[in-house]
Amino acid sequence: MLKVLLVSGSPRAEGNTKTALNQVLKGIQVKEPQAEVALLDLGKMKLSGCTNCDACKENGENCVIPDEGALLTDKLEEADVVIIGTPVYYWGMTAQLKTAIDRLYAKEEQLRQQKKKLGFLAIGAASVEDVQYKMIADQFKCIGDYFGWSLVFNKAISAFETGDLAKNSAQLQELEALGQAV
C-alpha cells in the first residue's frame, strides 16, 4: 500500500499552503484510493532546532531532544511519497520547515537508503517568475539529490491573500493533476 506524507511548513492553521497540499492529496487519492495518508502540520508541532550535538549518531539515529522530532522522522521514514508545502517568507522556506529539515540529520543514513518520491510546493505573493522560487527550488533539488529521492514535482504558486488559491479553479485542477501523476 502506498504511504503518503504531506508536510505543511506553514505556521497558519489554514491558508494557501494547506489548500495546495489538499488538492495534491485529492489527486493522489483519485489514482490510489487505498493510499495511507498522514499530514504533519509543522505550525502545530513542537520542534527544536538541531544543535549538531551528534548524540543521535551514538543513540541509534535517535535525536535526544525531547520534542516531536521523532514523530517527524518516523513518519518520514515510513512514507513512500513525501509532499512538502511552504509559504515563501523572505525569499525562502519558513523557519518551521527549515527546522524540520535540519532534524532529518538524526536519521540521514537510513533516509539515504530509502527511495522516495518527493514533491514540493512553494506558495508566495510574488509572480512565479521571481527569483525566490528558483532559490527554494534549487534547495529542494539539492535535498532530494542528497537523499537520492526522485523529485517528481517542484511547483511555484503565486497567491497573496489567504484564500486566493481556493478561488483559482485552473490552479486547483493543475495541483490535482500533479497528485495524480505521483
Side-chain angles (χ1 to χ4, degrees):
M1 176 185 312
L2 183 69
K3 292 186 177 186
V4 178
L5 176 64
L6 301 165
V7 179
S8 174
S10 179
R12 295 180 183 169
E14 295 298 324
N16 293 315
T17 301
K18 191 73 71 65
T19 299
L21 287 168
N22 284 333
Q23 281 304 118
V24 171
L25 174 59
K26 188 175 174 182
I28 290 170
Q29 290 176 323
V30 165
K31 186 176 178 188
E32 297 282 341
Q34 302 302 318
E36 185 178 311
V37 178
L39 170 67
L40 290 181
D41 189 340
L42 299 179
K44 294 179 182 176
M45 294 180 71
K46 302 292 183 217
L47 292 174
S48 299
C50 176
T51 62
N52 197 30
C53 67
D54 274 346
C56 58
K57 302 306 177 192
E58 306 299 323
N59 190 29
E61 293 195 340
N62 295 303
C63 183
V64 297
I65 298 173
D67 63 6
E68 293 180 283
L71 172 65
L72 169 72
T73 55
D74 289 348
K75 289 288 187 188
L76 193 70
E77 200 173 2
E78 295 169 3
D80 302 306
V81 177
V82 179
I83 309 295
I84 300 171
T86 185
V88 178
Y89 284 7
Y90 284 92
W91 309 278
M93 68 182 82
T94 62
Q96 291 83 352
L97 183 53
K98 180 64 170 108
T99 298
I101 290 168
D102 288 350
R103 292 296 295 276
L104 301 183
Y105 176 70
K107 299 234 182 213
E108 73 177 328
E109 292 307 317
Q110 286 177 276
L111 294 172
R112 289 183 78 185
Q113 300 197 18
Q114 298 177 340
K115 301 302 176 202
K116 298 185 183 302
K117 292 181 179 182
L118 176 64
F120 182 70
L121 303 164
I123 300 96
S127 73
V128 294
E129 293 80 22
D130 194 284
V131 69
Q132 62 191 341
Y133 296 105
K134 181 180 179 337
M135 292 168 28
I136 297 169
D138 288 348
Q139 189 169 14
F140 269 86
K141 183 180 180 326
C142 288
I143 291 167
D145 289 349
Y146 178 77
F147 284 111
W149 299 348
S150 301
L151 188 62
V152 292
F153 67 82
N154 197 329
K155 176 79 176 142
I157 300 166
S158 179
F160 181 69
E161 295 291 333
T162 300
D164 279 354
L165 181 57
K167 299 172 195 167
N168 186 334
S169 60
Q171 190 72 70
L172 294 174
Q173 288 175 348
E174 187 176 339
L175 288 163
E176 187 176 335
L178 283 176
Q180 289 179 24
V182 169

